[in-house]
Amino acid sequence: MTAEIFPKVKTIDLRKKHIGPSCKVFFSHDPIKIVRAKGQYMYDENGVRYLDCINNVAHVGHSHPMVVKAGAEQMELLNTNSRFLHDNLVQYAQRLQATLPEKLSVCYFVNSGSEANDLALRLAWEYTGHKDVITLDNAYHGHVSSLINISPYKFHQLANAEQSKSVHVALSPDLYRGNYRQDHPDPATAYADDVNNLIQKAHEKGHKVAAFIAESLQSCGGQVIPPAGYFQKVAQHVHRAGGLFIADEVQVGFGRVGTHFWAFQLQGEDFVPDIVTMGKPIGNGHPMSCVVTTREVAEAFKNSGMEYFNTFGGNPVSCAIGLAVLDVIEKEDLQGNALRVGGYLTRLLEQQKEKHPLVGDIRGRGLFVGAELVRDRVKLTPATAEAQDIIYKLKEQHILLSADGPHRNVLKFKPPMCFSEEDADMVVEKIDQILTGTLNAPLSLSFTMRIFLHFFTDIEKALGLQMPSTVHTKNGTPSPQSLWHSHI
Amino acid sequence: MTAEIFPKVKTIDLRKKHIGPSCKVFFSHDPIKIVRAKGQYMYDENGVRYLDCINNVAHVGHSHPMVVKAGAEQMELLNTNSRFLHDNLVQYAQRLQATLPEKLSVCYFVNSGSEANDLALRLAWEYTGHKDVITLDNAYHGHVSSLINISPYKFHQLANAEQSKSVHVALSPDLYRGNYRQDHPDPATAYADDVNNLIQKAHEKGHKVAAFIAESLQSCGGQVIPPAGYFQKVAQHVHRAGGLFIADEVQVGFGRVGTHFWAFQLQGEDFVPDIVTMGKPIGNGHPMSCVVTTREVAEAFKNSGMEYFNTFGGNPVSCAIGLAVLDVIEKEDLQGNALRVGGYLTRLLEQQKEKHPLVGDIRGRGLFVGAELVRDRVKLTPATAEAQDIIYKLKEQHILLSADGPHRNVLKFKPPMCFSEEDADMVVEKIDQILTGTLNAPLSLSFTMRIFLHFFTDIEKALGLQMPSTVHTKNGTPSPQSLWHSHI
């Protein structure tokens, strides 16, 4: 297998010619060609090493030998559909189930987070006989048409967006920028009440709610950590309306949050969703995913009379790979590593917040961390261009990071779980240098980028940012700066 | 890698406990546990070899070493998303494009036939600004919610099925059992006119048609071969209404039809769909698929302003596997083999039709062949139970075949493309023995099955079937028996 077939310029040319123009590359002005990767490092065609701070798919580390071996050996033996019995399928289901609350016992294996979330909706529709779905603002749940409908992150991008009448958008439970913030006496109840209001409004129109769906921690939505207790209260409202609670763990599951294997468990042991969907990290890059639900929901779905068959879902190769991923997480204590290194990274970023007024908020759990950049800590003006600038400058330093959230001003850390304290030191040191303006642009920088940097070389000086000691709250009352939501 | 972990009874038990009950196994009263497979053969936990006549996913043969090698080597190097440049992606797109008419030049790589068809709908909706979709009766296009809506094969299974108002079901262009049959002077025009009528009716209601979607040959719908020229005429009507033509090649593409690489090409060189979707065979079992469309459609989709990102779609491992599949098809001349062996199989089945009145129709192209069983060649009464009986008896002979179509009375051949004339001999000989009642039930047969067989041991005698020389036509006029649609 040759790692590079075409010179880069030819690769770009062929891509323009044959790949849908809606499919974007990172750093489109000067995209990166990656030919191999190992652990938390990716290598370009010239052997240049990049530190990967963003790839939550390569969960146990890029090209992990145990995962590769499991996949290769099973491919050699058999790869067929789940209409035949196979031990990998049932063993994997059993192993997954053991990580979940007991009542979440029935699995459906599919190929992507999108397929998983679409199936979750089908389960909810069938079980409840209702149609409406409540989703969070800024949510992203996948690319198939049913999920674009429930993904404000996507449908807000459309010029002619027409929100489905059976979709209701609830407030994102964002304690930094949302309607109810850290100064609110009970944001969990306040945000849950918003969901309840939507349910009531739907009822007034004669609609009925099939499901509430939320990522256990919002990822594209801006690394949002909902207040503990919020899911329990929402579940109460939704259950009362006859609907189901779907926890989307596609981005955040499999030990990433450090203290727990699933991010919904951060809400407390008394919370159990009706449906959990999984994806990205589940196969370390292999296309696979899973929906887990209760026996009750599964039986109702069966009783519709419609068989569910997924050609590739649950094939022995996917299951062998899934099992190997679980083995590696356990063997290498990657959940523990996420807790330790995530904590370390968060503390380093907190120091940046103390030092640089541009850093408005640090929040995270384990190796799922967000740093929200603002031009003004009182008005919370999103520092979008500055976030982009940091991302571009880090790229020149061979560090891959991204910015997301509705304002694209949240630096988003979700690295492979083998990320180390040295890696954390490196990325935060570079961010520090960028923010203090001591990082010189390397010679390879494109002309456009230089012009851009000319205006932003020292971002904070250029913007005349000051360091306030208080943070603005929704109702206008400044409250003491709180670090609570960066605790891991 | 241990091929068997649990005894079979434990596998069944765990499956009941942890796998969605809507996910059926083959031969549920006595399911098969397969532990390895090679070429067109699958092996159970006791080493018993089964001849696989149904698995169009294991396209170039189960566990093909070239495919396994390509996948394993690439997994070892890199498996990441398409936001980085990679040569496998563009090389594969280029290679796929070379098999298609020139204007079909833009690819989107996704993970399953369902994701592909859903994206095809999104492309059509965005390009046309219209909403309605015309689909064929008995069609199956996938399991995500948008596709259940356009799959009568599925939504007819629901007790409380409610057909979407924006979906219109056209007549299946079935020349054996459909509204217009082989005696009709111009069935292509007649069936296309039905589509046009639906368009007009939609217009009368103020609706606009975004797309017509059809499998190039209907598979689950009963191995239906549309008359040549039908697609051209449909495309004319649909284009006039501002809609697009989507050819679903998920089941039938990649050389299976023998004479051509794509089944839509059977309609003639003057026919080019606007969108082609691929799936099952594309990765020989690896979860991957593709949508190919025109530059025009792709640019309109881009201009919606919404990025398209598919986490696993087009990753270097999937593309390496896809490339290897194309290589093997070429190197082993599997398209040629499909033509030769498919022709041979069809001729053998024709002989069965001459011999056994239960065999009402043989139709196929290459290694995509259907044998429709009827109790009465004039009334075309579907021989559903008899088809099931054959399938079960073949299983006892270690041959895997399935029955499909709206009446589940069409024996469906779509084996791995390395299927041989000896394999064809074996399966047809066994079918012959079953139909003549000379096949003794093996001792391993379950009690229930024996009771069942007691009533059907000699199916034809039991049913008192006669051998008519004419076939019933729609308008009641018997016409000379025609073999035309079994030509390959």
Side-chain angles (χ1 to χ4, degrees):
Chain A
M1 182 71 45
T2 321
E4 200 187 18
I5 304 162
F6 306 116
K8 187 168 173 179
V9 59
K10 173 81 173 166
T11 310
I12 293 172
D13 181 56
L14 282 171
R15 181 154 174 143
K16 279 187 187 150
K17 206 168 160 189
H18 292 307
I19 303 297
S22 312
C23 307
K24 305 292 186 200
V25 287
F26 284 129
F27 309 107
S28 54
H29 77 288
D30 182 26
I32 305 173
K33 186 171 188 175
I34 294 293
V35 297
R36 64 187 178 90
K38 205 84 193 167
Q40 63 275 48
Y41 305 109
M42 305 183 88
Y43 300 84
D44 75 8
E45 76 281 16
N46 300 314
V48 173
R49 189 183 90 169
Y50 286 80
L51 172 64
D52 182 356
C53 305
I54 50 174
N55 205 327
N56 58 342
V57 174
H59 192 64
V60 301
H62 288 279
S63 316
H64 194 289
M66 274 178 70
V67 178
V68 172
K69 187 167 178 274
E73 286 182 355
Q74 184 58 52
M75 278 201 290
E76 225 175 298
L77 271 181
L78 174 70
N79 189 12
T80 195
N81 68 62
S82 63
R83 278 176 173 151
F84 300 101
L85 297 176
H86 199 282
D87 288 337
N88 287 6
L89 176 73
V90 297
Q91 195 190 23
Y92 186 46
Q94 194 183 31
R95 283 280 297 277
L96 265 187
Q97 205 287 312
T99 67
L100 286 159
E102 207 178 339
K103 77 167 206 173
L104 290 166
S105 64
V106 185
C107 303
Y108 299 83
F109 290 101
V110 296
N111 306 301
S112 66
S114 289
E115 283 195 2
N117 281 331
D118 182 87
L119 177 57
L121 293 182
R122 289 187 59 201
L123 290 168
W125 286 326
E126 202 56 49
Y127 177 78
T128 63
H130 302 172
K131 266 285 145 216
D132 286 23
V133 178
I134 299 175
T135 186
L136 292 182
D137 203 7
N138 310 318
Y140 175 61
H141 294 292
H143 54 71
V144 303
S145 49
S146 62
L147 304 176
I148 299 291
N149 282 344
I150 61 164
S151 296
Y153 180 81
K154 295 299 276 188
F155 69 63
H156 284 163
Q157 287 175 17
L158 287 176
N160 54 353
E162 191 190 339
Q163 195 183 314
S164 161
K165 289 192 180 93
S166 56
V167 174
H168 313 280
V169 179
L171 294 171
S172 167
D174 176 352
L175 295 162
Y176 180 67
R177 184 181 284 285
N179 276 29
Y180 313 110
R181 300 181 182 175
Q182 51 255 40
D183 63 323
H184 191 283
D186 186 3
T189 301
Y191 281 118
D193 283 349
D194 176 60
V195 173
N196 197 32
N197 286 341
L198 290 177
I199 294 172
Q200 300 318 319
K201 279 186 196 159
H203 287 179
E204 282 163 22
K205 288 187 220 152
H207 289 219
K208 286 178 171 178
V209 172
F212 169 87
I213 183 168
E215 285 186 277
S216 300
L217 308 173
Q218 275 198 300
S219 181
C220 296
Q223 309 287 92
V224 173
I225 321 274
Y230 169 65
F231 281 1
Q232 287 88 328
K233 290 173 204 288
V234 168
Q236 273 173 22
H237 296 311
V238 173
H239 288 157
R240 208 180 310 118
L244 298 180
F245 192 113
I246 303 169
D248 177 341
E249 293 269 343
V250 170
Q251 298 253 16
V252 293
F254 291 90
R256 176 163 295 279
V257 297
T259 49
H260 300 82
F261 200 77
W262 302 107
F264 72 79
Q265 295 170 322
L266 291 167
Q267 292 276 316
E269 285 203 359
D270 55 333
F271 175 68
V272 181
D274 302 296
I275 300 175
V276 173
T277 60
M278 305 164 186
K280 296 186 189 288
I282 188 171
N284 216 45
H286 185 81
M288 58 183 288
S289 62
C290 186
V291 180
V292 188
T293 190
T294 62
R295 172 59 54 191
E296 221 181 336
V297 172
E299 291 295 335
F301 190 58
K302 181 197 166 197
N303 293 339
S304 74
M306 197 189 283
E307 183 189 347
Y308 182 79
F309 176 62
N310 188 306
T311 300
F312 305 130
N315 70 69
V317 174
S318 296
C319 293
I321 286 174
L323 281 163
V325 168
L326 293 180
D327 285 342
V328 176
I329 293 172
E330 210 175 295
K331 201 176 154 201
E332 300 184 3
D333 185 26
L334 292 180
Q335 187 178 322
N337 192 64
L339 186 64
R340 286 184 296 275
V341 178
Y344 182 77
L345 171 66
T346 305
R347 285 190 294 278
L348 290 183
L349 289 169
E350 289 291 354
Q351 290 165 10
Q352 293 298 303
K353 181 175 149 182
E354 296 300 319
K355 194 171 166 188
H356 303 289
L358 194 73
V359 182
D361 190 38
I362 303 299
R363 51 185 181 252
R365 297 290 183 273
L367 278 172
F368 180 84
V369 180
E372 180 152 358
L373 306 187
V374 290
R375 290 186 187 172
D376 183 318
R377 287 194 178 180
V378 180
K379 293 182 190 151
L380 304 188
T381 323
T384 306
E386 296 83 343
Q388 290 309 309
D389 181 56
I390 290 172
I391 298 307
Y392 273 83
K393 282 183 178 159
L394 284 175
K395 181 232 181 186
E396 299 297 333
Q397 299 296 316
H398 310 131
I399 295 174
L400 302 168
L401 192 67
S402 68
D404 217 327
H407 307 289
R408 305 291 186 273
N409 67 322
V410 183
L411 302 179
K412 198 167 132 179
F413 297 82
K414 48 186 181 78
M417 299 269 284
C418 49
F419 204 71
S420 70
E421 294 192 354
E422 292 68 36
D423 299 324
D425 280 331
M426 175 152 73
V427 59
V428 178
E429 189 192 338
K430 293 294 178 191
I431 290 174
D432 188 22
Q433 288 173 6
I434 294 168
L435 289 174
T436 47
T438 56
L439 190 73
N440 290 320
L443 291 172
S444 72
L445 225 55
S446 74
F447 181 71
T448 326
M449 218 33 218
R450 283 183 212 220
I451 298 291
F452 187 73
L453 292 180
H454 176 73
F455 291 103
F456 288 101
T457 303
D458 189 339
I459 298 169
E460 290 172 352
K461 271 188 204 152
L463 293 167
L465 286 173
Q466 297 300 318
M467 189 74 182
S469 60
T470 54
V471 61
H472 187 71
T473 63
K474 184 73 185 176
N475 56 17
T477 325
S479 75
Q481 221 172 303
S482 160
L483 301 182
W484 81 268
H485 50 352
S486 61
H487 295 163
I488 55 150
Chain B
M1 182 71 45
T2 321
E4 203 188 18
I5 304 162
F6 306 116
K8 187 168 172 177
V9 60
K10 173 78 174 167
T11 310
I12 293 173
D13 182 54
L14 282 171
R15 183 159 172 137
K16 279 187 187 150
K17 206 167 159 191
H18 291 308
I19 303 297
S22 312
C23 307
K24 305 291 186 200
V25 287
F26 284 129
F27 309 108
S28 54
H29 77 286
D30 182 26
I32 305 174
K33 186 171 188 175
I34 295 292
V35 298
R36 65 187 177 91
K38 204 83 192 167
Q40 63 275 47
Y41 305 108
M42 304 183 89
Y43 300 84
D44 74 9
E45 76 282 16
N46 301 314
V48 173
R49 189 183 89 167
Y50 287 80
L51 172 64
D52 181 357
C53 305
I54 49 173
N55 204 326
N56 58 343
V57 174
H59 193 63
V60 301
H62 289 279
S63 317
H64 194 290
M66 274 179 69
V67 178
V68 172
K69 187 167 178 275
E73 287 183 354
Q74 184 57 53
M75 278 201 289
E76 226 175 296
L77 270 182
L78 174 69
N79 189 12
T80 194
N81 67 63
S82 63
R83 279 178 173 150
F84 299 101
L85 297 176
H86 200 281
D87 287 337
N88 287 7
L89 175 73
V90 297
Q91 195 190 23
Y92 185 47
Q94 194 182 32
R95 284 281 297 278
L96 265 187
Q97 204 287 309
T99 67
L100 286 159
E102 207 177 337
K103 77 168 205 173
L104 291 166
S105 64
V106 185
C107 304
Y108 299 84
F109 290 101
V110 296
N111 306 301
S112 67
S114 289
E115 284 195 1
N117 281 331
D118 182 86
L119 178 57
L121 294 182
R122 289 187 59 201
L123 290 168
W125 287 327
E126 201 56 48
Y127 177 78
T128 64
H130 302 172
K131 266 285 145 221
D132 287 23
V133 178
I134 300 176
T135 187
L136 293 181
D137 203 9
N138 310 318
Y140 176 61
H141 293 292
H143 54 71
V144 302
S145 49
S146 61
L147 304 176
I148 299 291
N149 282 344
I150 61 163
S151 296
Y153 180 81
K154 295 300 274 189
F155 69 64
H156 284 164
Q157 288 175 18
L158 288 175
N160 54 354
E162 189 191 340
Q163 195 183 314
S164 160
K165 288 191 181 94
S166 57
V167 174
H168 313 280
V169 179
L171 295 171
S172 168
D174 176 353
L175 295 161
Y176 181 67
R177 184 180 285 284
N179 276 30
Y180 313 110
R181 300 182 182 174
Q182 51 254 39
D183 63 323
H184 190 284
D186 186 2
T189 301
Y191 281 118
D193 284 349
D194 175 60
V195 173
N196 198 32
N197 286 341
L198 290 177
I199 294 172
Q200 300 318 319
K201 280 185 195 160
H203 287 179
E204 283 163 21
K205 287 186 219 152
H207 288 217
K208 286 178 172 178
V209 173
F212 169 88
I213 184 168
E215 285 186 276
S216 299
L217 308 173
Q218 273 198 301
S219 182
C220 297
Q223 309 286 94
V224 173
I225 321 273
Y230 169 65
F231 280 2
Q232 287 88 328
K233 289 173 205 288
V234 168
Q236 273 174 23
H237 297 313
V238 173
H239 287 158
R240 209 181 310 117
L244 298 181
F245 192 114
I246 303 169
D248 176 343
E249 293 269 342
V250 170
Q251 297 254 16
V252 294
F254 290 90
R256 176 162 296 278
V257 299
T259 49
H260 299 82
F261 200 78
W262 302 106
F264 72 79
Q265 294 171 320
L266 291 167
Q267 292 277 315
E269 285 203 0
D270 56 333
F271 174 67
V272 181
D274 303 296
I275 301 175
V276 173
T277 59
M278 306 166 185
K280 295 186 189 289
I282 188 170
N284 216 46
H286 185 81
M288 59 183 287
S289 63
C290 186
V291 180
V292 188
T293 190
T294 62
R295 173 58 53 190
E296 222 180 334
V297 171
E299 291 295 334
F301 189 58
K302 181 199 164 196
N303 293 338
S304 74
M306 198 190 283
E307 184 188 348
Y308 182 79
F309 176 62
N310 188 304
T311 301
F312 304 130
N315 71 68
V317 174
S318 296
C319 293
I321 286 174
L323 280 163
V325 168
L326 293 180
D327 285 341
V328 177
I329 292 172
E330 210 175 294
K331 201 176 155 200
E332 300 183 3
D333 186 26
L334 293 179
Q335 187 178 322
N337 191 63
L339 186 65
R340 286 184 297 275
V341 178
Y344 182 78
L345 170 66
T346 305
R347 284 190 296 277
L348 291 181
L349 289 169
E350 288 292 355
Q351 290 164 13
Q352 292 298 303
K353 181 174 149 183
E354 296 299 319
K355 196 170 166 188
H356 302 289
L358 194 73
V359 182
D361 189 38
I362 303 299
R363 50 185 181 254
R365 297 289 183 276
L367 279 172
F368 180 84
V369 181
E372 179 151 1
L373 306 186
V374 291
R375 290 185 186 171
D376 183 318
R377 287 196 178 179
V378 179
K379 292 184 192 151
L380 304 189
T381 323
T384 305
E386 297 83 343
Q388 290 309 308
D389 181 56
I390 290 171
I391 299 305
Y392 274 82
K393 282 182 177 157
L394 285 175
K395 181 230 180 186
E396 299 298 333
Q397 299 297 315
H398 309 131
I399 295 173
L400 301 169
L401 193 68
S402 69
D404 217 325
H407 307 288
R408 306 292 187 271
N409 67 323
V410 182
L411 302 179
K412 198 166 132 179
F413 297 82
K414 48 185 181 79
M417 299 269 284
C418 50
F419 204 71
S420 70
E421 293 191 354
E422 292 68 36
D423 299 324
D425 281 331
M426 173 150 76
V427 58
V428 178
E429 189 193 338
K430 292 295 178 192
I431 290 174
D432 188 23
Q433 289 173 8
I434 294 167
L435 289 174
T436 47
T438 56
L439 190 73
N440 290 320
L443 291 172
S444 72
L445 224 52
S446 74
F447 181 71
T448 326
M449 220 30 220
R450 283 183 213 221
I451 298 292
F452 188 72
L453 291 180
H454 176 73
F455 291 102
F456 287 101
T457 303
D458 187 340
I459 297 168
E460 290 172 352
K461 271 188 204 149
L463 293 167
L465 285 175
Q466 298 299 319
M467 190 71 180
S469 62
T470 55
V471 61
H472 187 70
T473 63
K474 184 74 186 177
N475 57 17
T477 324
S479 76
Q481 218 171 307
S482 160
L483 301 183
W484 81 268
H485 51 353
S486 61
H487 296 164
I488 56 153

